Amino acid sequence: MGVNAKVEEKTKASTKMNGSQMLIEALKRENVEVIFGYPGGAVLNIYDSLYDSGIFHVLTRHEQGGIHAAEGYARISGKPGVVIATSGPGATNIVTGLADAMIDSIPLVVFTGQVASSVIGSDAFQEADVLGITMPITKHSYQVREVKDLPKIIKEAFYIATSGRPGPVLIDIPKDMTANEAVFDYDQEIQLPGYQPTIHPNHLQIRKLVEAVSQAKKPVILAGAGVIHAKAADELREYVEQQNIPLAHTLLGLGGFPADHPLYLGMAGMHGTYSANMALHECDLLISIGARFDDRVTGNLEHFAPNAIVAHIDIDPAEIGKNVPTKIPVVGDAKEVLKALVHQDGKPGDSREWREKLAGWKEEYPLVYKPSEDELKPQKLIELIYKYTDGEAIVTTDVGQHQMWAAQYYQFTKPNRWVTSGGLGTMGFGLPSSIGAQLAERSSTVVAILGDGGFQMTSQELSVIHELNLPIKIIILNNKALGMVRQWQQLFYKERYSHSLIPNQPDFMKLADAYGIKGLRATNEQEAEQVLKEAIEYAGPVLMDFNVTPFENVYPMVATGKGHHEMVGVKL
């Protein structure tokens, strides 16, 4: 680099800017492509700098819609989602999304406006203690006290959000910090002595796992979202095939291993397959990769993998041993751990009889439902969606019965095609997350599979879909109920349907028309095929209202307090 170039670079690095200009410049340095936000008084300086910045901004119709859209974007792109909200109610409206991203390990960088520093603590207009409210549901949080610190804070925030176990980072910015000036320096090295994620595994632990595999006669892998976050799908497949180990997925892990692979057992857990759950129950070696053993996966911990040596691979050491006693802990990035395991080229154990047994279970106990000539079965609808999208769609969902049917019957063969709210179970997640997913991959088909209840929580985001002409295919499984609540009331509350039935739904076709979106409806299988074919061929967004069997239940099921071996609904 010549002398003049060095001088020019140093001059640029020492340019004086106000806080808003710093924020925009920092986002450019982080290669941010899209921001999801909603303006308000405390962030007006930021929005003024954003006006001619060249960064694409999506004005969602509610802050919750904005943060869920950012989650969808992050889940598909692998890049951090960026959100801007104003102070007070703007900030409190994103709390649900922060909690959702935290428990599902979604990288976000969220900027909230705050009242001016001089009036913090005085109950000023639209003041809220955002740090106090969000500290338990963020990976880290900041409040800017000196404008000169803003570049360093933003740089640290992006690093923290995306490194180690991903998660949301919040930066609360008082309004005067967006107007005050200081030197913009974004070339500082990040030094966080208390935060040093372990990427590469301990060699001795790898050797212990290799030895355990060589001795195991009934090994099984439980793969979670950590495989996808680590971009380790290829390494996982290589290891599974090298060692001939059957594999089950968690809900959030779907797509990390191809569903059409002969060693794939299906999704495990409350509504998992018989073969996956019984593999977990009878295995002698359980290898968990990037999964956190939540209660919906394990069932009653007293009965979980009772005969197994448990090996747990995770980048977050706090998860290892938290719920399930672990004999072989391996801390590290899933990609690096799998590389190390493959490199060891260990000798597989004699598990031929085990694999044959599992294959027999898969054949004898497949997912089943009772077909109907008169009604549209929700399971059949998911199969039709899979058929008409060639199994290649990005699928987003809300939470409930439709989510479980989508997980069961849409066969994901590659990662970054499944966007759902796992740990928090957030109704209203599906529609806005489809916006972020479509912006992350504009050429892909995005299908938002929603319940009639969850859809109405964030239906205002139809306006964004129309405005941006995003070709999202919106599918409502309309059973005129809060389906999963109704199912539990049927099974465990003596059919006392307390406020779970919604017979008086709006006309979703009129709602679609009001937002300028094409609307289609189907009430049986033949109509469903016609509607899906028309929708997929249509270039723009489509909202489809499918009237499905109202009292259909999700099976199989492991009831609360039961073990995997106590599944019900395995056969018709």
Side-chain angles (χ1 to χ4, degrees), residues 12 20 38 82 85 116 146 153 155 194 207 216 231 284 291 336 370 416 433 439 489 491 493 495 522 528 542:
K12 186 177 180 181
S20 298
Y38 205 103
V82 177
E146 298 284 347
I153 287 172
K155 192 170 186 178
R207 288 302 309 162
K231 299 179 175 60
D284 62 5
E336 297 304 320
K370 189 176 181 180
N416 305 113
S433 66
L439 290 172
Q489 287 175 337
L491 298 177
Y493 292 88
E495 300 184 14
V542 185

Side-chain angles (χ1 to χ4, degrees), residues 34-37 56-61 69 432 434-440 442 461-472 515-517 539-541:
V34 58
I35 298 171
F36 303 90
F56 184 60
H57 178 277
V58 177
L59 174 66
T60 54
R61 300 314 192 250
S434 73
I435 294 172
Q438 187 72 81
L439 290 172
R442 288 183 177 265
E461 304 308 332
L462 290 173
S463 182
V464 178
I465 293 172
H466 170 66
E467 178 185 317
L468 301 179
N469 194 31
L470 300 175
I472 299 166
Y515 280 106
I517 291 175

Side-chain angles (χ1 to χ4, degrees), residues 295-441:
D295 61 299
R296 289 296 169 102
V297 166
T298 65
N300 188 333
L301 285 170
E302 186 180 339
H303 301 296
F304 180 70
N307 305 311
I309 293 171
V310 176
H312 193 165
I313 299 165
D314 208 293
I315 199 165
D316 184 356
E319 288 296 341
I320 298 177
K322 185 179 78 174
N323 295 328
V324 175
T326 301
K327 187 168 183 179
I328 307 174
V330 184
V331 179
D333 177 80
K335 191 182 192 79
E336 297 304 320
V337 173
L338 287 164
K339 280 182 181 178
L341 288 169
V342 169
H343 181 71
Q344 290 289 314
D345 195 18
K347 179 185 176 184
D350 182 10
S351 60
R352 181 178 56 83
E353 289 186 12
W354 171 241
R355 294 195 305 276
E356 289 175 354
K357 185 177 186 179
L358 294 177
W361 279 342
K362 280 178 68 174
E363 186 174 342
E364 186 177 357
Y365 302 106
L367 293 169
V368 290
Y369 60 93
K370 189 176 181 180
S372 172
E373 294 182 3
D374 304 320
E375 297 177 315
L376 176 57
K377 289 286 183 167
Q379 302 95 325
K380 181 63 179 180
L381 177 59
I382 303 300
E383 290 178 334
L384 290 173
I385 296 168
Y386 180 80
K387 171 186 172 182
Y388 282 99
T389 60
D390 297 320
E392 293 291 325
I394 293 171
V395 178
T396 75
T397 78
D398 269 336
V399 168
Q401 288 183 313
H402 67 279
Q403 176 194 32
M404 293 298 105
W405 285 317
Q408 290 176 333
Y409 289 93
Y410 200 100
Q411 301 298 297
F412 296 94
T413 57
K414 54 187 177 182
N416 305 113
R417 286 293 177 271
W418 174 240
V419 181
T420 196
S421 172
L424 196 64
T426 304
M427 291 178 69
F429 174 88
L431 186 66
S433 66
S434 73
I435 294 172
Q438 187 72 81
L439 290 172
E441 283 196 20

Side-chain angles (χ1 to χ4, degrees), residues 203-214:
H203 177 70
L204 292 177
Q205 297 304 101
I206 292 292
R207 288 302 309 162
K208 285 181 184 177
L209 182 50
V210 169
E211 179 63 22
V213 171
S214 72

Side-chain angles (χ1 to χ4, degrees), residues 445-465:
T445 298
V446 175
V447 177
I449 300 177
L450 316 172
D452 47 291
F455 167 69
Q456 293 180 76
M457 289 190 171
T458 51
S459 61
Q460 72 279 347
E461 304 308 332
L462 290 173
S463 182
V464 178
I465 293 172

Side-chain angles (χ1 to χ4, degrees), residues 452-453 456 478-481 500-508:
D452 47 291
Q456 293 180 76
N478 189 350
N479 55 14
K480 297 180 173 55
S500 60
L501 306 181
I502 317 175
N504 297 312
Q505 296 282 25
D507 187 329
F508 293 128

Side-chain angles (χ1 to χ4, degrees), residues 109-275:
V109 177
V110 179
F111 300 92
T112 54
Q114 183 55 274
V115 299
S117 303
S118 59
V119 293
I120 289 177
S122 70
D123 291 333
F125 177 66
Q126 290 194 332
E127 180 185 0
D129 181 5
V130 178
L131 256 62
I133 292 168
T134 64
M135 194 170 290
I137 52 172
T138 53
K139 189 176 177 184
H140 195 63
S141 54
Y142 298 87
Q143 187 175 76
V144 182
R145 304 296 176 88
E146 298 284 347
V147 69
K148 65 180 176 61
D149 297 330
L150 185 56
K152 177 174 176 286
I153 287 172
I154 296 173
K155 192 170 186 178
E156 286 182 3
F158 274 90
Y159 172 70
I160 293 170
T162 56
S163 59
R165 179 180 181 174
V169 178
L170 181 136
I171 303 175
D172 193 44
I173 310 179
K175 187 169 184 179
D176 52 315
M177 292 298 114
T178 65
N180 293 351
E181 292 187 340
V183 171
F184 178 81
D185 181 5
Y186 211 68
D187 297 324
Q188 305 172 59
E189 285 190 18
I190 295 173
Q191 294 183 340
L192 299 171
Y195 176 70
Q196 301 290 331
T198 299
I199 305 301
H200 298 281
N202 181 287
H203 177 70
L204 292 177
Q205 297 304 101
I206 292 292
R207 288 302 309 162
K208 285 181 184 177
L209 182 50
V210 169
E211 179 63 22
V213 171
S214 72
Q215 298 297 318
K217 295 190 181 302
K218 297 181 178 181
V220 67
I221 290 172
L222 178 65
V227 171
I228 296 172
H229 292 312
K231 299 179 175 60
D234 290 342
E235 288 79 7
L236 177 61
R237 180 168 184 164
E238 186 177 1
Y239 178 64
V240 166
E241 291 177 346
Q242 182 194 71
Q243 299 296 313
N244 254 330
I245 303 177
L247 178 144
H249 265 314
T250 67
L251 174 68
L252 291 177
L254 293 174
F257 188 79
D260 57 359
H261 196 284
L263 287 169
Y264 182 60
L265 302 173
M267 181 177 73
M270 178 172 281
H271 295 293
T273 64
Y274 182 86
S275 55

